[in-house]
């Protein structure tokens, strides 16, 4: 009767095994594997807190079935950098005060990274559109916009294209 | 107190007033920070709450037998399993004051009073099983007549939700002679302003994990603004206060919505019953009905004024919707009453405010806490009165604004500077040149709003806060304090204060916080009080340690203690900096001599009695913050659509501790206030919430946010450490009325009900056209 299936998820460069029923979302599966940097905010795709990169594209992991992510490259916020070697977005969000409560931050940085990979020199409007699916209740987005532009500049200078 | 460039003045600090990277930022930005929902334990159960789907009903039948019989279900609890259990819902935190006896049933015994009221708790091996079990519970609710409008609830014969007549609180303020004041007026202006319910909409839904430790202590790791609910939760489940421990975590947003007990009681009961670790996470829909919202209010303002712009009398009648349970309604209402005239001199004042129970969602704390509803009304009324006498709104404000040393509505003279006038001027100037009128159906408008908002809790609550500071052998500093960090950098601010006093750099300070049994109790992170109260406690503790260290250093350097300086991890003689050593070395010398290298300090706010019940005269709060907000909007008169073009916030914050954090509070306050003014609407149908998601409840997104200019003044006159005031609530308070005034300026008519949606604007314009104006 069990419809559970064992799948391999490629997360932050590592293969990980999960046994999941068909309805298990990628959000639930990732958190179950210990990737608790992926945050649950609404489970409806309204808030963007659970965003991860799937093959470089930001998606709401709460709207993605775990099985559909098999064989694809999944990147969570932790996969972008570490406190010792932070990604330019992690650095700028930290230094410019773009994270207040920090709960939307994983999704915000993932959405920002997805933007910068496609568009290294975004305008204000580009940033706003790219982040329009990510709700924040603390920052008024102002310092988030600043942080995205600051990181874009750093990435352009260092020629990082990742 | 002169207004010199504050950035220059802050140069004398090494840590304070700067935009330092907060201690919690790197972890958050790299996804390393654990939140309350990220903790798991072996053998952990998953809990769910079954809620009522009617707002006013009698519970006829609740059959949990099928759910209990389901494999994997550890327990299902109803009110029958705990017949006498209730939870106190008033006065969070520590105070010796008698409670209001407003206890709420933990689970519905017989009567459902609001949509979403909990009926049963389920704990199971997995969340999936718990969810299936919840669906197996059979519920029969018999609808009974409810009341959903506080004015209806006041009528004789209305269904009674609370008490005998639904009135859960009344506050009066009487000053001077309003009859004489209105007689002396040339013009009397009367308007009624309606403010809406509002949902906190923090991104992290309520979540917690409970377990029983080796000492039989029920321990709960939870996202909360108030760990000191441990007492109420212990009382509710019948264990001594020292056998219930609440540990916080970095909180994913609070805004007042995590000020009351949320998941704690359910977790404690389930852990007690099952003796296993239990995790409970609210869904977003749970969250919408899982904590009290902002009070909707109806505020009737009647202002008497002379032709030359002097307010001669003010009468304010307020009705607040308390919803189905009392919670913090009496206090929210008191804030509203005290702030009813706003930052203006009103010698003849009459305020009569009532909070009334209905079968709507219960209402409680939310950033601004009653003061914000008052501001929404008094600042719109100031514009209306100015229009009525043909005076410029800024000039009218100037003539009536409180100045430093003036008494407020309660007769109390705030001890700090009142720089409202300066804030009004600077905010207005900073709007710059008006946007060019684009023509067509678009109209440009501008509005200003000043405000008064307290920081620190009501002084009759006798608020205290403790902090412990110690310095280690390697020169690093530890701060221990129960303060909860809800995202504004509360812990980081304590670190910055300790770093400043002890002369160490910020990364050398670590703060242990938010544990009701292991960190000294610091009170709530509410009421814009955390920095004021706990910041002062941390400063006192750090200063005591510093004094002892400086005494030893003076002896070593053969200098006077007053000549000893500490900065950048070194101790030195100020006039002869060559004589210096690492602080770590000094600490080791102190240790070898048995010098006490730590201190536990308590800070006490002013303690007062309650306000006079008939006149409302006396002291309500320790002090007040003042400022102003200016807004420019474009309104499409065909569609009613509003675009906010510019937003300027001017605040006297007393003293920045972390400048970037202050700016962050201001930006967030603007966003929160824009949503309140324009788009956030809790729609109820017979008490049933029909907007329980972020696709129905619309808060500002990245597309909606205007640029925000922050003008930060530092009077250094506040009661907080280094002369700081609070900014958490003040940043939001003036935003909505500034928006409302800008819209009225743009379209020539006022929409008296918030949120000012396109539909309401369109209707107001239609009605105005029908009346023949414009």
């Amino acid at each position: 009767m069990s419809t559970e299936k064992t799948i391999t998820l490629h997360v932050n460069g590592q293969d990980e095994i999960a046994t999941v029923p068909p309805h298990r979302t990628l959000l639930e599966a990732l958190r179950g594997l210990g990737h608790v940097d992926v945050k649950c905010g609404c489970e409806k795709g309204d808030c963007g807190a659970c965003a991860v990169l799937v093959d470089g594209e930001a998606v709401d992991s709460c709207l993605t079935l775990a099985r559909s992510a098999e064989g694809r490259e999944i990147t969570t916020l932790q996969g972008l950098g570490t406190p010792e070697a932070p990604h330019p977005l992690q650095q700028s969000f930290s230094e410019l005060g773009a994270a207040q409560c920090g709960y939307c931050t994983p999704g915000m940085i993932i959405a920002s990274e997805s933007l910068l990979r496609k568009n290294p020199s975004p305008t204000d409007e580009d940033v706003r559109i790219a982040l329009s699916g990510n709700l924040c209740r603390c920052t008024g987005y102002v310092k988030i916009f600043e942080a995205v532009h600051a990181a874009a500049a750093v990435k352009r200078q260092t020629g990082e294209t990742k | 107190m002169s207004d010199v460039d504050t950035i220059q003045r802050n140069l004398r600090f090494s840590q304070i007033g700067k935009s330092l990277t907060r201690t919690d930022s790197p972890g958050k930005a790299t996804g390393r920070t654990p939140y309350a929902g990220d903790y798991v334990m072996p053998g952990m159960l998953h809990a769910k709450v079954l809620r009522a789907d009617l707002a006013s009903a009698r519970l006829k039948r609740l059959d949990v037998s099928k759910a209990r019989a389901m494999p994997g279900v550890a327990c299902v609890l109803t009110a029958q399993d705990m017949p006498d259990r209730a939870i106190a819902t008033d006065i969070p935190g520590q105070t010796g004051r008698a409670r209001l006896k407003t206890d709420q049933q933990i689970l519905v015994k017989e009567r459902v009073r609001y949509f979403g009221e909990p009926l049963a708790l389920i704990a199971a091996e997995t969340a999936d099983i718990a969810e299936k079990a919840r669906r197996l519970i059979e519920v029969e609710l018999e609808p009974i007549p409810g009341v959903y409008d506080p004015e209806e609830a006041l009528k004789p014969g209305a269904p009674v939700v609370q008490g005998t007549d639904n009135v859960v609180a009344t506050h009066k303020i009487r000053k001077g002679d309003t009859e004489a004041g209105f007689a002396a007026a040339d013009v009397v202006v009367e308007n009624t302003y309606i403010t809406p319910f509002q949902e906190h909409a923090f991104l992290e839904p309520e979540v917690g994990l409970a377990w029983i430790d080796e000492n039989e202590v029920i321990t709960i790791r939870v996202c909360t603004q108030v760990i000191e609910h441990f007492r109420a939760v212990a009382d509710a489940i019948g264990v001594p206060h020292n056998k219930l421990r609440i540990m916080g975590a970095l909180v994913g947003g609070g805004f007042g919505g995590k000020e009351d007990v949320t998941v704690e009681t359910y977790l404690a009961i389930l852990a007690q019953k099952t003796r296993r670790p239990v995790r409970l996470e609210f869904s977003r829909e749970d969250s919408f009905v899982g904590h009290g919202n902002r009070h909707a209010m109806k505020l009737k303002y009647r202002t008497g004024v002379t032709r030359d712009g002097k307010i001669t009398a003010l009468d304010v009648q307020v009705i607040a919707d308390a919803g189905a349970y009392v919670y913090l309604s009496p206090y929210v209402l008191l804030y509203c009453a005290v702030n009813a005239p706003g930052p203006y001199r009103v010698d003849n004042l009459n305020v009569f405010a009532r909070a009334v129970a209905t079968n709507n969602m219960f209402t409680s704390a939310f950033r601004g806490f009653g003061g914000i509803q008052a501001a929404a009304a008094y600042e719109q009324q100031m514009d209306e009165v100015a229009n009525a006498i043909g005076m410029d709104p800024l000039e009218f404000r100037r003539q009536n604004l409180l100045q430093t040393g003036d008494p407020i509505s309660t007769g109390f003279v705030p001890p700090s500077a009142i720089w409202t006038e300066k804030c009004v001027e600077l905010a207005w100037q900073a709007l710059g040149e008006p946007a060019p009128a684009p023509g067509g159906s678009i109209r440009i408008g501008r509005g200003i709003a000043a405000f008064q908002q307290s920081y620190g809790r009501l002084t009759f609550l006798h608020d205290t806060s403790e902090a412990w500071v110690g310095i280690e052998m390697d020169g690093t500093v530890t701060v221990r304090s129960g303060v909860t960090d809800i995202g504004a950098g509360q812990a980081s601010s304590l670190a910055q204060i300790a770093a400043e006093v002890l002369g160490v750099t910020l990364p050398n300070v670590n703060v242990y916080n938010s544990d009701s049994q292991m960190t000294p109790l610091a009170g709530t992170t509410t009421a814009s009080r955390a920095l004021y109260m706990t910041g002062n406690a941390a400063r006192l503790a750090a200063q005591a340690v510093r004094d002892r260290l400086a005494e030893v250093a003076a002896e070593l350097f053969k200098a006077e203690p007053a000549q000893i300086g500490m900065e950048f991890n070194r101790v030195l003689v100020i006039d002869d900096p060559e004589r210096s050593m690492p602080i770590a070395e000094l600490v080791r010398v102190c240790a070898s001599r048995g010098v006490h290298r730590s201190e536990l300090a308590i800070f006490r706010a002013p303690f007062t009695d309650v306000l006079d019940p008939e006149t409302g005269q006396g002291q309500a709060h320790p002090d007040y913050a003042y400022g102003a907000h200016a807004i420019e909007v474009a309104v499409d008169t065909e569609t009613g659509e509003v675009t906010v073009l510019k937003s300027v916030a001017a605040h006297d914050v007393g003293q920045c501790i972390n400048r970037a954090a202050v700016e962050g509070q201001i930006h967030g306050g603007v966003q929160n206030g824009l949503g309140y003014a324009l788009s956030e609407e809790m729609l109820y149908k017979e008490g049933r919430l029909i907007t329980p998601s972020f696709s129905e409840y619309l808060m500002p997104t990245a597309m909606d946010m205007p640029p925000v200019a922050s003008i930060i003044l530092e009077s250094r006159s506040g009661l907080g450490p280094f002369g700081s005031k609070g900014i958490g609530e003040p940043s939001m308070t003036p935003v909505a009325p500034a928006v409302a005034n800008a819209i009225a300026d743009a379209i020539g008519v006022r929409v008296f009900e918030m949120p000012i949606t396109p539909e309401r604007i369109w209707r107001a314009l239609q009605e105005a056209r029908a009346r023949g104006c414009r």
Side-chain angles (χ1 to χ4, degrees):
Chain A
M1 123 148 203
S2 171
T3 52
E4 296 209 336
K5 184 181 158 191
T6 297
I7 60 171
T8 303
L9 293 173
H10 193 68
V11 189
N12 299 334
Q14 305 275 337
D15 280 340
E16 301 187 30
I17 309 293
T19 302
V20 294
H23 63 271
R24 183 71 71 237
T25 65
L26 182 58
L27 167 64
E28 293 165 327
L30 286 171
R31 287 188 61 86
L33 289 168
H35 297 287
V36 293
D37 53 325
V38 185
K39 296 298 179 212
C40 173
C42 70
E43 293 177 287
K44 287 182 173 176
D46 292 334
C47 78
C50 65
V52 296
L53 294 175
V54 176
D55 290 341
E57 197 71 42
V59 301
D60 287 335
S61 61
C62 72
L63 296 184
T64 307
L65 292 175
R67 289 186 185 179
S68 74
E70 197 170 16
R72 304 173 72 178
E73 193 180 323
I74 301 161
T75 308
T76 73
L77 177 60
Q78 286 201 2
L80 291 182
T82 64
E84 297 71 36
H87 181 280
L89 280 162
Q90 294 175 325
Q91 182 98 21
S92 65
F93 268 65
S94 174
E95 287 179 355
L96 296 177
Q100 283 191 31
C101 87
Y103 201 80
C104 76
T105 306
M108 282 288 176
I109 292 182
I110 288 294
S112 304
E113 172 65 4
S114 179
L115 167 71
L116 296 185
R117 286 187 188 184
K118 284 174 282 190
N119 180 356
S121 304
T123 63
D124 268 337
E125 189 69 3
D126 294 335
V127 175
R128 284 171 186 268
I129 291 168
L131 299 183
S132 61
N134 293 76
L135 293 173
C136 170
R137 192 59 158 172
C138 300
T139 66
Y141 306 99
V142 179
K143 288 183 184 288
I144 292 175
F145 299 154
E146 288 171 17
V148 175
H149 287 300
V154 169
K155 286 184 88 166
R156 285 194 303 271
Q157 267 173 17
T158 57
E160 189 193 330
T161 50
K162 185 152 137 172
Chain B
M1 280 168 291
S2 67
D3 179 30
V4 299
D5 185 324
T6 54
I7 293 175
Q8 282 298 314
R9 292 198 314 184
N10 283 334
L11 287 177
R12 79 179 172 86
F13 292 125
S14 69
Q15 305 287 327
I16 295 295
K18 314 274 191 286
S19 289
L20 300 183
T21 298
R22 271 166 43 179
T23 52
D24 54 317
S25 291
K28 286 174 173 173
T30 54
R32 262 67 180 179
T33 301
Y35 291 75
D38 299 337
Y39 292 89
V40 293
M41 288 184 95
M44 178 178 89
L45 295 167
H46 299 260
K48 299 272 181 193
V49 182
L50 175 73
R51 298 177 180 277
D53 63 358
L54 287 176
S56 180
R58 200 171 305 285
L59 180 57
K60 281 188 75 181
R61 195 171 71 92
L62 185 62
D63 184 349
V64 299
S65 54
K66 284 180 192 155
R68 276 195 179 133
M70 188 176 162
V73 172
C75 103
V76 180
L77 295 176
T78 71
Q80 303 310 315
D81 304 303
M82 40 180 165
D84 301 320
R85 295 288 187 231
I87 178 87
T89 64
D90 60 329
I91 319 186
Q94 89 282 27
T95 170
R97 237 189 126 66
R99 289 188 175 274
L100 294 175
K101 298 200 171 25
T102 58
D103 296 0
Q104 181 185 354
Q105 58 187 359
I106 294 170
L107 297 172
V108 170
K109 263 180 273 188
E110 194 193 331
R111 173 132 178 233
V112 173
R113 291 186 177 82
Y114 69 93
F115 171 75
E117 189 160 11
L119 302 171
L121 303 173
I122 305 106
E125 299 295 336
T126 69
D128 281 354
I129 296 172
E131 180 53 40
K132 279 181 193 148
R134 175 162 65 177
R135 290 179 193 168
L136 289 177
I137 297 175
E138 290 167 20
V139 185
E140 215 177 307
L141 294 177
E142 179 186 22
I144 56 177
V147 61
Y148 306 100
D149 175 334
E151 282 176 299
E152 292 297 318
L154 285 172
K155 290 180 180 164
V160 175
V161 185
Q162 287 291 341
T164 54
D165 58 0
N166 290 324
V167 177
V168 301
T170 304
H171 292 300
K172 292 179 248 180
I173 296 185
R174 307 249 190 281
K175 196 176 178 181
D177 182 346
T178 43
E179 209 170 304
F182 281 115
D186 296 320
V187 179
V188 174
V189 179
E190 184 178 316
N191 287 303
T192 299
Y193 302 93
I194 297 173
T195 65
F197 294 109
Q198 191 182 21
E199 157 63 27
H200 306 79
F202 33 71
L203 267 286
E204 174 199 43
E206 297 88 332
V207 63
L209 170 65
W211 67 96
I212 299 176
D213 80 0
E214 64 277 17
N215 295 317
E216 289 293 308
V217 174
I218 296 178
T219 308
I220 308 172
R221 169 82 77 170
V222 62
C223 59
T224 179
Q225 297 177 235
V226 183
I227 57 173
E228 288 175 52
H229 286 309
F230 76 92
R231 300 188 183 93
V233 177
D235 289 343
I237 67 162
V239 300
H241 290 184
N242 66 355
K243 290 285 192 184
L244 200 130
R245 175 181 177 195
I246 294 185
M247 302 162 73
L250 285 171
V251 179
F255 315 108
K258 292 171 183 167
E259 179 165 339
D260 298 309
V261 170
T262 59
V263 293
E264 296 95 313
T265 322
Y266 311 138
L267 284 167
I269 290 167
L270 289 169
Q272 195 180 35
K273 209 80 180 173
T274 63
R275 301 199 57 82
R276 286 176 61 180
V278 188
R279 180 178 188 273
L280 173 59
E281 179 175 26
F282 279 0
S283 68
R284 182 53 63 183
E285 281 194 36
D286 277 324
S287 183
F288 266 91
V289 296
H291 60 261
N293 300 121
R294 187 189 297 288
H295 291 71
M297 290 194 194
K298 197 167 193 179
L299 308 102
K300 191 166 103 184
Y301 271 64
R302 188 160 164 261
T303 310
V305 64
T306 60
R307 284 273 167 220
D308 57 1
K310 180 170 170 45
I311 297 172
T312 59
L314 176 63
D315 182 274
V316 180
Q317 308 281 321
V318 178
I319 294 181
D321 192 336
Y325 287 94
V326 180
Y327 279 81
L328 303 181
S329 290
Y331 310 107
V332 172
L333 189 74
L334 181 55
Y335 274 56
C336 182
V338 167
N339 290 297
Y344 301 103
R345 279 188 305 272
V346 179
D347 298 329
N348 302 307
L349 176 66
N350 179 35
V351 182
F352 182 63
R354 282 173 295 176
V356 183
T358 66
N359 292 104
N360 292 325
M361 179 66 203
F362 65 85
T363 46
S364 194
F366 195 142
R367 194 179 201 172
F369 203 83
I372 204 166
Q373 290 94 332
Y378 63 67
E379 277 305 82
Q380 294 194 76
Q381 178 75 351
M382 287 301 282
D383 265 27
E384 288 296 307
V385 176
N387 283 346
I389 58 170
M391 188 178 273
D392 173 65
L394 264 80
E395 179 53 32
F396 178 51
R397 283 179 173 79
R398 251 177 238 125
Q399 288 203 22
N400 292 284
L401 278 170
L402 294 172
Q403 302 294 340
T404 304
D406 283 343
I408 66 160
S409 63
T410 67
F412 171 69
V413 177
S416 70
I418 299 179
W419 280 8
T420 329
E421 189 172 344
K422 191 180 313 214
C423 290
V424 167
E425 304 289 345
L426 290 172
W428 193 254
Q429 279 168 22
L431 278 184
E433 287 298 307
S441 58
I442 309 291
R443 304 275 183 279
I444 304 291
R446 291 180 157 198
I448 186 94
F451 75 94
Q452 167 181 289
Q453 180 83 44
S454 55
Y455 62 96
R457 297 179 77 192
L458 290 158
T459 43
F460 64 76
L461 295 177
H462 296 192
D463 196 14
T464 61
S465 189
E466 293 181 28
W468 181 99
V469 174
I471 190 158
E472 286 302 325
M473 300 287 199
D474 62 353
T476 60
V477 171
T478 298
V479 179
R480 295 166 57 232
S481 179
V483 69
T484 55
D485 190 320
I486 63 172
Q490 282 85 3
S492 188
S493 294
L494 296 189
Q496 231 171 313
I497 289 164
E500 178 69 37
V501 174
L502 287 165
V504 301
T505 46
L506 191 56
N508 279 356
V509 184
N510 192 48
V511 178
Y512 291 87
N513 68 313
S514 202
D515 186 324
S516 71
Q517 300 295 348
M518 298 294 282
T519 52
L521 294 179
T524 62
T525 298
T526 68
S528 303
R529 76 175 275 290
L531 174 64
Y532 159 47
M533 295 296 296
T534 315
N536 271 326
R539 188 186 183 186
L540 288 170
Q543 188 65 44
V545 175
R546 182 198 163 102
D547 288 348
R548 288 186 211 118
L549 261 54
E551 203 173 307
V552 175
E555 192 195 317
L556 295 177
F557 292 131
K558 299 188 174 41
E560 290 300 311
Q563 292 175 274
I564 299 299
M566 295 186 198
E567 55 185 33
F568 301 111
N569 307 316
R570 292 190 74 81
V571 54
L572 48 82
V573 179
I574 291 165
D575 298 331
D576 183 9
E578 293 299 301
R579 286 148 76 195
S580 77
M581 67 169 81
I583 284 179
E585 203 176 312
L586 173 64
V587 176
R588 284 194 292 273
V589 173
C590 290
S592 72
R593 296 182 182 191
V595 174
H596 192 192
R597 302 176 313 284
S598 67
E599 180 78 6
L600 174 62
I602 183 166
F603 178 76
R604 295 176 185 84
F607 287 10
T608 66
D609 204 346
V610 290
L611 298 178
D612 182 289
E614 285 309 311
T615 67
Q617 296 299 290
Q619 181 175 359
H621 299 100
D623 192 22
Y624 296 85
Y626 296 90
H629 203 92
I631 287 272
E632 184 174 281
V633 297
V635 185
D636 187 329
T637 53
E638 274 178 12
T639 63
E641 191 187 358
V642 176
T643 307
V644 181
L645 302 173
K646 290 181 195 162
S647 168
V648 184
H651 293 273
D652 169 24
V653 302
Q655 166 69 52
C656 290
I657 301 302
N658 186 321
R659 198 174 186 88
V662 170
E663 290 166 358
Q665 285 299 298
I666 290 173
H667 299 157
V670 173
Q671 174 193 14
N672 214 331
L674 291 179
Y676 185 49
L678 293 171
S679 64
E680 296 181 24
E681 198 160 27
M682 310 279 287
L683 294 174
Y684 291 95
K685 197 172 176 183
E686 296 256 289
R688 172 195 288 264
L689 180 67
I690 55 174
T691 53
S693 78
F694 292 151
S695 55
E696 294 147 310
Y697 182 81
L698 302 176
M699 52 185 188
T701 70
M703 299 300 288
D704 305 312
M705 199 57 198
V708 181
S710 306
I711 299 171
I712 299 172
L713 302 182
E714 295 177 308
S715 67
R716 288 206 173 141
S717 66
L719 302 180
F722 307 99
S724 55
K725 295 189 174 190
I727 186 64
E729 292 173 283
S731 58
M732 178 174 178
T733 303
V735 179
V739 173
N741 288 341
I743 292 171
D745 180 52
I747 63 174
V749 293
R750 185 169 295 279
V751 177
F752 288 94
E753 182 171 3
M754 290 179 186
I756 308 172
T757 55
E759 186 182 338
R760 290 203 173 103
I761 289 174
W762 187 84
R763 280 185 198 286
L765 285 167
Q766 293 295 308
E767 284 162 21
R769 282 188 194 118
R771 286 197 308 268
C773 29
R774 274 204 186 191

